Amino acid sequence: MVSRVRVWLNRTYAENVFFMDQLRRNPSDRAVEIHATHGDADSPVLAAADTADLEPEGLSPAAYVEYALDQCARRGIDVFVPRLHQAAVVAHRAEFEAAGTALLAPPPEAVAVFHDKVIAYEAVQAIGVPVPPWWRVRGADELVAAVEELEAAGHRACFKPASGAGGVGFRVITRTPFSLMHLNGFPSPYVPLDLVLEALAHSEEQVDWLVMPRLEQPEVSVDCLTGPDNRIRMAVGRTKNGRRRGFTLHEQWLEPARAVAEGFGLHYLSNIQFRMFGDRPVLMDVNTRPAGGLHQLSLCGINAPWAAVQLALGEDPGHIDPPFLGQDYTVVSGPRPLRGVSLPQQRAEEPQQALPAVPAPAEAAEAAEAVGAVETRAGQALPL
């Protein structure tokens, strides 16, 4: 009898409820149980899991590794998909392996390269992958110099933190004075240069920004699955152009993505993003974790989360080509059930906390009405 697989996702994005759904609906018909931890008791990821815990706040990276090792031992985790403190966790891979847990994450050297966008751009440029022009700025004078050089070349300048994820801190520089125009409608990423300079003048802390030209659409995110042998098993591009989304296997996107994934050992699931600079694609960002939109590859007949778990368990799924490319689609949000109490619940067979079990899928709609619902940020994909 084939044993169940126990998978843990730590403090992950709300969209990964779909990642969890795909693990349970795996083509191998293998029993999968999912453990989730989060700092927010109302995360839909906790409600979607079979067992769940609230994570302690304020742990240092080293202390978090100890917490993670304890979770793996107590919960019998076979595969751990770390997002929070990924760098610290992968540095202790041997200790997790000794506890019987495989880490679905790249080695520490790869994580370190792509933690800092400047180091990442320098590294990928060295292997021939095109990147946009960029400036690292830590103060007002450097910012003004970078903006003026970009504007002189006919580009609109933008900036983002040199380290970070999820588009947090991204802003587009404008010379338009602040007015009611900026207060009408929804908030936008556009910010007047004079306000940025004023904020820098009154700040006691130094910024660390990457300034670059505003890149054009389409945006293409290439989801990659790479083995510990540094060989690509899967590379599929997801395109985004305004509301419209789709899929591509064009080599202008896949070839540089494969070069990055294989060249830097981005083992298991990674996401490599490109946009247009003039008439050519350039690298925008590299995520050393599964993308929030990874589940959208199901529209191409691919269950990437399960293939990655197989690879982590030493069961090589082989090369994965999509049997077809799904039609263009858009993304809408939808309700997911939350737990009926503010503390995580456990499955009935978990002796340490015998609290009510998670509602079964058939009960999800009633549970959502009874206990409230949350909208995931990515939502579900619908055809256009």
Side-chain angles (χ1 to χ4, degrees):
M1 180 178 178
V2 179
S3 63
R4 69 176 184 176
V5 179
R6 189 90 161 123
V7 180
W8 173 26
L9 288 82
N10 76 332
R11 204 172 296 209
T12 192
Y13 303 113
E15 297 95 322
N16 276 334
V17 294
F18 304 118
F19 187 104
M20 298 157 75
D21 291 343
Q22 285 193 281
L23 288 181
R24 293 191 178 103
R25 296 196 302 264
N26 67 81
S28 302
D29 199 27
R30 186 92 171 262
V32 175
E33 290 191 4
I34 298 172
H35 181 56
T37 58
H38 208 284
D40 179 3
D42 287 333
S43 167
V45 171
L46 297 183
D50 297 297
T51 61
D53 280 325
L54 278 176
E55 292 190 353
E57 295 293 342
L59 294 182
S60 67
Y64 191 89
V65 170
E66 293 302 315
Y67 163 78
L69 286 165
D70 178 68
Q71 285 280 313
C72 290
R74 288 195 303 110
R75 298 290 187 174
I77 302 299
D78 298 301
V79 178
F80 177 20
V81 188
R83 190 201 67 82
L84 182 66
H85 292 310
Q86 185 191 64
V89 168
V90 298
H92 294 266
R93 187 181 300 270
E95 294 170 52
F96 284 94
E97 289 178 349
T101 301
L103 296 181
L104 202 154
E109 299 81 11
V111 174
V113 168
F114 296 102
H115 175 73
D116 185 301
K117 291 179 174 58
V118 170
I119 294 174
Y121 275 16
E122 291 173 340
V124 300
Q125 198 170 20
I127 65 169
V129 173
V131 300
W134 52 269
W135 290 258
R136 186 172 209 158
V137 305
R138 294 185 170 89
D141 291 344
E142 290 179 334
L143 175 64
V144 170
V147 170
E148 289 180 344
E149 189 166 345
L150 281 167
E151 290 178 342
H155 303 298
R156 173 165 281 172
C158 63
F159 66 87
K160 56 186 176 181
S163 61
V168 175
F170 172 80
R171 296 293 186 273
V172 181
I173 294 288
T174 175
R175 297 281 188 166
T176 306
F178 188 79
S179 67
L180 283 178
M181 179 189 72
H182 293 90
L183 302 178
N184 291 330
F186 294 102
S188 83
Y190 290 88
V191 57
L193 177 60
D194 59 343
L195 293 187
V196 179
L197 296 176
E198 183 179 349
L200 289 173
H202 289 87
S203 175
E204 295 181 357
E205 56 185 89
Q206 189 180 59
V207 298
D208 188 10
W209 290 339
L210 195 70
V211 177
M212 56 194 293
R214 175 71 186 269
L215 302 175
E216 301 301 322
Q217 292 184 328
E219 179 178 319
V220 177
S221 292
V222 182
D223 293 308
C224 295
L225 177 63
T226 310
D229 57 2
N230 290 350
R231 287 193 302 109
I232 282 276
R233 305 304 198 274
M234 178 199 78
V236 181
R238 289 183 287 113
T239 66
K240 182 165 65 175
N241 199 337
R243 186 188 294 269
R244 180 171 293 271
R245 303 188 180 201
F247 304 99
T248 180
L249 295 177
H250 198 292
E251 282 299 313
Q252 70 173 341
W253 312 105
L254 267 55
E255 189 277 332
R258 282 193 291 261
V260 172
E262 294 183 337
F264 294 97
L266 294 180
H267 301 166
Y268 306 108
L269 290 168
S270 61
N271 177 257
I272 303 169
Q273 301 171 359
F274 301 88
R275 272 197 176 223
M276 299 298 293
F277 180 60
D279 59 356
R280 67 170 184 164
V282 293
L283 182 76
M284 184 170 69
D285 209 352
V286 176
N287 295 309
T288 60
R289 53 167 175 78
L294 179 69
H295 63 280
Q296 293 161 14
L297 293 186
S298 63
L299 297 178
C300 298
I302 294 177
N303 188 326
W306 178 246
V309 166
Q310 284 184 295
L311 199 54
L313 293 173
E315 304 166 7
D316 197 331
H319 190 77
I320 300 171
D321 288 316
F324 53 86
L325 289 183
Q327 71 180 86
D328 284 0
Y329 63 101
T330 191
V331 170
V332 296
S333 61
R336 297 286 298 203
L338 293 180
R339 295 185 181 277
V341 293
S342 61
L343 294 177
Q345 301 165 333
Q346 308 299 329
R347 291 171 61 91
E349 64 264 29
E350 294 290 338
Q352 59 269 38
Q353 292 192 36
L355 298 177
V358 177
E363 303 166 351
E366 293 181 9
E369 287 189 12
V371 306
V374 66
E375 291 188 354
T376 62
R377 182 159 57 89
Q380 298 187 16
L382 294 179
L384 286 174

PDB file of all heavy atoms in Angstrom, residues 178-188:
ATOM      1  N   PHE A 178       1.561  67.266  -7.423  1.00  0.00           N
ATOM      2  CA  PHE A 178       0.485  66.604  -6.690  1.00  0.00           C
ATOM      3  C   PHE A 178      -0.756  67.481  -6.717  1.00  0.00           C
ATOM      4  O   PHE A 178      -0.694  68.691  -6.455  1.00  0.00           O
ATOM      5  CB  PHE A 178       0.910  66.336  -5.247  1.00  0.00           C
ATOM      6  CG  PHE A 178      -0.078  65.493  -4.485  1.00  0.00           C
ATOM      7  CD1 PHE A 178      -0.101  64.125  -4.654  1.00  0.00           C
ATOM      8  CD2 PHE A 178      -0.988  66.076  -3.624  1.00  0.00           C
ATOM      9  CE1 PHE A 178      -1.009  63.336  -3.969  1.00  0.00           C
ATOM     10  CE2 PHE A 178      -1.910  65.300  -2.925  1.00  0.00           C
ATOM     11  CZ  PHE A 178      -1.914  63.921  -3.100  1.00  0.00           C
ATOM     12  N   SER A 179      -1.897  66.886  -7.065  1.00  0.00           N
ATOM     13  CA  SER A 179      -3.144  67.637  -7.179  1.00  0.00           C
ATOM     14  C   SER A 179      -4.310  66.704  -6.913  1.00  0.00           C
ATOM     15  O   SER A 179      -4.123  65.513  -6.589  1.00  0.00           O
ATOM     16  CB  SER A 179      -3.270  68.244  -8.586  1.00  0.00           C
ATOM     17  OG  SER A 179      -3.429  67.196  -9.542  1.00  0.00           O
ATOM     18  N   LEU A 180      -5.520  67.237  -7.076  1.00  0.00           N
ATOM     19  CA  LEU A 180      -6.710  66.406  -6.891  1.00  0.00           C
ATOM     20  C   LEU A 180      -6.734  65.233  -7.857  1.00  0.00           C
ATOM     21  O   LEU A 180      -7.386  64.213  -7.596  1.00  0.00           O
ATOM     22  CB  LEU A 180      -7.978  67.247  -7.056  1.00  0.00           C
ATOM     23  CG  LEU A 180      -8.349  68.151  -5.876  1.00  0.00           C
ATOM     24  CD1 LEU A 180      -9.583  68.958  -6.200  1.00  0.00           C
ATOM     25  CD2 LEU A 180      -8.579  67.315  -4.615  1.00  0.00           C
ATOM     26  N   MET A 181      -6.036  65.362  -8.984  1.00  0.00           N
ATOM     27  CA  MET A 181      -5.976  64.252  -9.933  1.00  0.00           C
ATOM     28  C   MET A 181      -5.451  62.985  -9.266  1.00  0.00           C
ATOM     29  O   MET A 181      -5.891  61.883  -9.566  1.00  0.00           O
ATOM     30  CB  MET A 181      -5.067  64.628 -11.108  1.00  0.00           C
ATOM     31  CG  MET A 181      -4.896  63.530 -12.155  1.00  0.00           C
ATOM     32  SD  MET A 181      -3.618  63.923 -13.355  1.00  0.00           S
ATOM     33  CE  MET A 181      -2.145  63.710 -12.350  1.00  0.00           C
ATOM     34  N   HIS A 182      -4.497  63.154  -8.334  1.00  0.00           N
ATOM     35  CA  HIS A 182      -3.928  61.992  -7.650  1.00  0.00           C
ATOM     36  C   HIS A 182      -4.880  61.423  -6.599  1.00  0.00           C
ATOM     37  O   HIS A 182      -4.656  60.325  -6.091  1.00  0.00           O
ATOM     38  CB  HIS A 182      -2.603  62.365  -6.980  1.00  0.00           C
ATOM     39  CG  HIS A 182      -1.516  62.699  -7.945  1.00  0.00           C
ATOM     40  ND1 HIS A 182      -1.295  63.983  -8.396  1.00  0.00           N
ATOM     41  CD2 HIS A 182      -0.589  61.918  -8.559  1.00  0.00           C
ATOM     42  CE1 HIS A 182      -0.270  63.988  -9.246  1.00  0.00           C
ATOM     43  NE2 HIS A 182       0.172  62.749  -9.356  1.00  0.00           N
ATOM     44  N   LEU A 183      -5.910  62.164  -6.255  1.00  0.00           N
ATOM     45  CA  LEU A 183      -6.847  61.725  -5.224  1.00  0.00           C
ATOM     46  C   LEU A 183      -8.153  61.207  -5.802  1.00  0.00           C
ATOM     47  O   LEU A 183      -9.003  60.705  -5.065  1.00  0.00           O
ATOM     48  CB  LEU A 183      -7.142  62.883  -4.257  1.00  0.00           C
ATOM     49  CG  LEU A 183      -5.924  63.471  -3.549  1.00  0.00           C
ATOM     50  CD1 LEU A 183      -6.340  64.632  -2.660  1.00  0.00           C
ATOM     51  CD2 LEU A 183      -5.208  62.400  -2.735  1.00  0.00           C
ATOM     52  N   ASN A 184      -8.339  61.353  -7.096  1.00  0.00           N
ATOM     53  CA  ASN A 184      -9.543  60.841  -7.739  1.00  0.00           C
ATOM     54  C   ASN A 184      -9.361  59.380  -8.113  1.00  0.00           C
ATOM     55  O   ASN A 184      -8.281  58.943  -8.485  1.00  0.00           O
ATOM     56  CB  ASN A 184      -9.866  61.656  -8.998  1.00  0.00           C
ATOM     57  CG  ASN A 184     -10.317  63.063  -8.672  1.00  0.00           C
ATOM     58  OD1 ASN A 184     -10.914  63.297  -7.618  1.00  0.00           O
ATOM     59  ND2 ASN A 184     -10.043  64.006  -9.564  1.00  0.00           N
ATOM     60  N   GLY A 185     -10.430  58.627  -8.025  1.00  0.00           N
ATOM     61  CA  GLY A 185     -10.359  57.222  -8.411  1.00  0.00           C
ATOM     62  C   GLY A 185      -9.569  56.407  -7.415  1.00  0.00           C
ATOM     63  O   GLY A 185      -9.386  56.775  -6.248  1.00  0.00           O
ATOM     64  N   PHE A 186      -9.063  55.272  -7.881  1.00  0.00           N
ATOM     65  CA  PHE A 186      -8.314  54.367  -7.016  1.00  0.00           C
ATOM     66  C   PHE A 186      -6.858  54.820  -6.888  1.00  0.00           C
ATOM     67  O   PHE A 186      -6.331  55.482  -7.779  1.00  0.00           O
ATOM     68  CB  PHE A 186      -8.364  52.940  -7.565  1.00  0.00           C
ATOM     69  CG  PHE A 186      -9.735  52.337  -7.544  1.00  0.00           C
ATOM     70  CD1 PHE A 186     -10.491  52.254  -8.712  1.00  0.00           C
ATOM     71  CD2 PHE A 186     -10.276  51.861  -6.361  1.00  0.00           C
ATOM     72  CE1 PHE A 186     -11.759  51.696  -8.691  1.00  0.00           C
ATOM     73  CE2 PHE A 186     -11.540  51.296  -6.331  1.00  0.00           C
ATOM     74  CZ  PHE A 186     -12.293  51.222  -7.505  1.00  0.00           C
ATOM     75  N   PRO A 187      -6.206  54.478  -5.783  1.00  0.00           N
ATOM     76  CA  PRO A 187      -4.778  54.798  -5.657  1.00  0.00           C
ATOM     77  C   PRO A 187      -3.987  54.172  -6.799  1.00  0.00           C
ATOM     78  O   PRO A 187      -4.317  53.083  -7.276  1.00  0.00           O
ATOM     79  CB  PRO A 187      -4.393  54.166  -4.308  1.00  0.00           C
ATOM     80  CG  PRO A 187      -5.681  54.059  -3.556  1.00  0.00           C
ATOM     81  CD  PRO A 187      -6.738  53.797  -4.583  1.00  0.00           C
ATOM     82  N   SER A 188      -2.942  54.862  -7.231  1.00  0.00           N
ATOM     83  CA  SER A 188      -2.119  54.371  -8.331  1.00  0.00           C
ATOM     84  C   SER A 188      -0.667  54.320  -7.885  1.00  0.00           C
ATOM     85  O   SER A 188      -0.298  54.913  -6.862  1.00  0.00           O
ATOM     86  CB  SER A 188      -2.265  55.292  -9.553  1.00  0.00           C
ATOM     87  OG  SER A 188      -1.412  56.410  -9.447  1.00  0.00           O
TER      88      SER A 188
END
